[in-house]
Amino acid sequence: MTKEILRSLIADSMGLTPDEMPGDDEDLVDYGLHSIAVMQVVSLCQQSGVEVTFPELIATPTVDAWWRALSAADRAAAR
């Protein structure tokens, strides 16, 4: 997974176009992120083989934080 794919997944889950996405360091809740969208992203990540959890993502709802969490999970899975 790339950061651009993650941004696209988040945008789709939030009902936004990629152009409507906030900056990578902005709080997604301020732009309409809700728990169902977070669960959708978690599910899509897990289907891609990246084990991440709802609490991990909701703790810091920014693209940058999610990218760090997904990257760490991906590295851990590769070991």
Side-chain angles (χ1 to χ4, degrees):
M1 179 176 301
T2 66
K3 194 172 189 180
E4 286 308 309
I5 291 172
L6 174 61
R7 286 179 58 72
S8 179
L9 291 175
I10 295 168
D12 287 346
S13 295
M14 292 176 64
L16 302 174
T17 66
D19 293 339
E20 296 173 317
M21 281 291 292
D24 289 353
D25 62 342
E26 294 187 64
D27 190 326
L28 296 169
V29 173
D30 293 341
Y31 291 85
L33 179 74
H34 50 81
S35 60
I36 300 298
V38 177
M39 289 187 283
Q40 289 173 329
V41 172
V42 168
S43 177
L44 291 169
C45 289
Q46 290 176 346
Q47 289 172 17
S48 298
V50 180
E51 290 300 319
V52 67
T53 65
F54 179 88
E56 287 176 294
L57 297 188
I58 202 63
T60 310
T62 67
V63 174
D64 282 342
W66 289 13
W67 178 244
R68 284 189 301 273
L70 293 174
S71 296
D74 196 34
R75 283 191 304 273
R79 290 184 197 164

